Each structure stands twice: as structure tokens, then as C-alpha cells.
Amino acid sequence: CRSRVHSGCVRAEISYIMVKPDGVQRGLVGEIVGRFERKGFTLRGLKLFTPGKELAEEHYKDLSQKPFFKDLVDYITSGPVVAMVWEGDGVVKSARKLIGSTNPLEAEPGTIRGDLAVQTGRNVVHGSDSPENGERETALWFGSGSVEQWQPALAPWLRE
Ligand code: IDP
Ligand code: MG
């Protein structure tokens, strides 16, 4: 536990970030991982594998009524993804900014989607939309308590 508010303990914020199958196929893993590293977030978990239908459906369950749901599940299960957990102050909101808008044509240049993608249905990367979903998605993709607990030696140079 790093910081204390009143007498309680505030858990470090984490976000579940995933290079989707198109990002892996296009050789963008290093580019995407590098952006989170350079920003100063801490990598807590990383694995490459092809997710099954059940996992993809659970991950995107809030979108199950959308007309594109089946295509979305087919896309996410179409090949290996790089599943990651990143930690840092405000990482959820910041990662969403680094990633850019859902529709890559509306994403700002300088963002991952703005620089590297064209279509909503092939937008190369996922990022959790709330700290609660950061925890939920991390538990779903990695199992609860299974990501690494560590502090980079650089920590004092990143946080005062
Ligand atoms: P997000 O990834 O920016 O959080 P969400 O609305 O949560 O966007 O949608 C999840 C994913 O579903 C998107 O990243 C995209 O891959 C896909 N998706 C969203 N809207 C559409 C659509 O209108 N057509 C096709 N795919 C979509
Ligand atoms: Mg979303």
C-alpha cells in the first residue's frame, strides 16, 4: 500500500490494456507497449494468446445487445492478442487518451488509434474505461491476484 487517505489504504490504479489481433498481425506490439512504457506507467502483466469465445463475450458483455457484437467477438478471437496490465496514477483515463477515440478517423493524431488505425472494427487496442473495469478485466484475463507486484527502480524519478 503506497498512499493513505484517512486511515484507509488506496490501491494502486490499474488498467487492462490489450493489443487486439490486428495490432499483433501488423507488428504493432512494440510500438504500442513502448508508448505506455515511455509515458511512465508500470507493466504488471503481459501475455500473448488467442482468447476463446466465452472470454471475449464476458469481456464485452455490456455490448451484447449491439448489432456488431458477433463481429466483435469473431474479431477478438481471430488470433493472438497481447493482454497487459499497466499501473500508475490516473492510468485508466490517461491510457484512454493515449489510445484515442473508438473511431480511429476521429482519434487525434498522436494517439495510438489516430496514428495507426482507420476503422472502428479494426482499432488495434483496448483500454479499460473505469478503474472498476480495470480491476474486473484484469481479474477476467489474468485471474485475481495473478499479476506481478513490483516497483521499478526508476520510481523515484517518475513520482515525487
Ligand atoms: P472502446 O474500445 O473505445 O472502449 P467501445 O464502445 O467500448 O469502445 O466498443 C468496444 C469495441 O467494439 C471497439 O473498440 C470496437 O472494436 C468495437 N466497436 C464499437 N463500436 C463499433 C461499431 O459501431 N462497429 C464495429 N465495431 C464497433
Ligand atoms: Mg470500451
Side-chain angles (χ1 to χ4, degrees):
C1 174
R2 296 177 169 162
S3 52
R4 285 175 187 283
V5 171
H6 307 296
S7 57
C9 187
V10 179
R11 283 225 275 171
E13 185 171 313
I14 55 174
S15 184
Y16 174 70
I17 305 290
M18 171 167 68
V19 183
K20 295 177 176 180
D22 51 330
V24 175
Q25 296 292 338
R26 292 174 56 201
L28 297 174
V29 173
E31 167 77 34
I32 292 169
V33 172
R35 291 185 182 215
F36 291 96
E37 279 189 318
R38 293 202 301 273
K39 174 71 176 169
F41 293 130
T42 303
L43 183 61
R44 292 278 308 277
L46 181 148
K47 62 183 176 183
L48 177 137
F49 75 111
T50 302
K53 193 165 174 246
E54 219 173 278
L55 178 57
E57 285 179 348
E58 178 62 24
H59 175 76
Y60 282 124
K61 68 178 178 191
D62 291 352
L63 301 174
S64 62
Q65 299 312 310
K66 300 281 185 188
F68 57 82
F69 185 68
K70 187 190 174 295
D71 287 344
L72 175 59
V73 170
D74 287 347
Y75 160 48
I76 293 300
T77 58
S78 63
V81 300
V82 172
M84 297 178 280
V85 178
W86 288 88
E87 177 191 315
D89 298 337
V91 64
V92 168
K93 199 169 169 202
S94 176
R96 298 276 295 184
K97 280 193 188 167
L98 292 173
I99 289 169
S101 301
T102 304
N103 179 349
L105 293 182
E106 284 163 16
E108 295 296 324
T111 65
I112 296 168
R113 288 169 175 165
D115 288 349
L116 304 173
V118 181
Q119 282 195 339
T120 301
R122 294 288 184 273
N123 60 6
V124 303
V125 64
H126 166 83
S128 305
D129 63 8
S130 67
E132 295 69 33
N133 274 334
E135 296 283 345
R136 177 185 83 85
E137 293 167 4
T138 296
L140 180 65
W141 289 82
F142 285 86
S144 50
S146 76
V147 293
E148 189 75 10
Q149 285 280 357
W150 72 293
Q151 285 252 8
L154 272 177
W157 302 103
L158 288 164
R159 308 171 83 240
E160 62 178 9

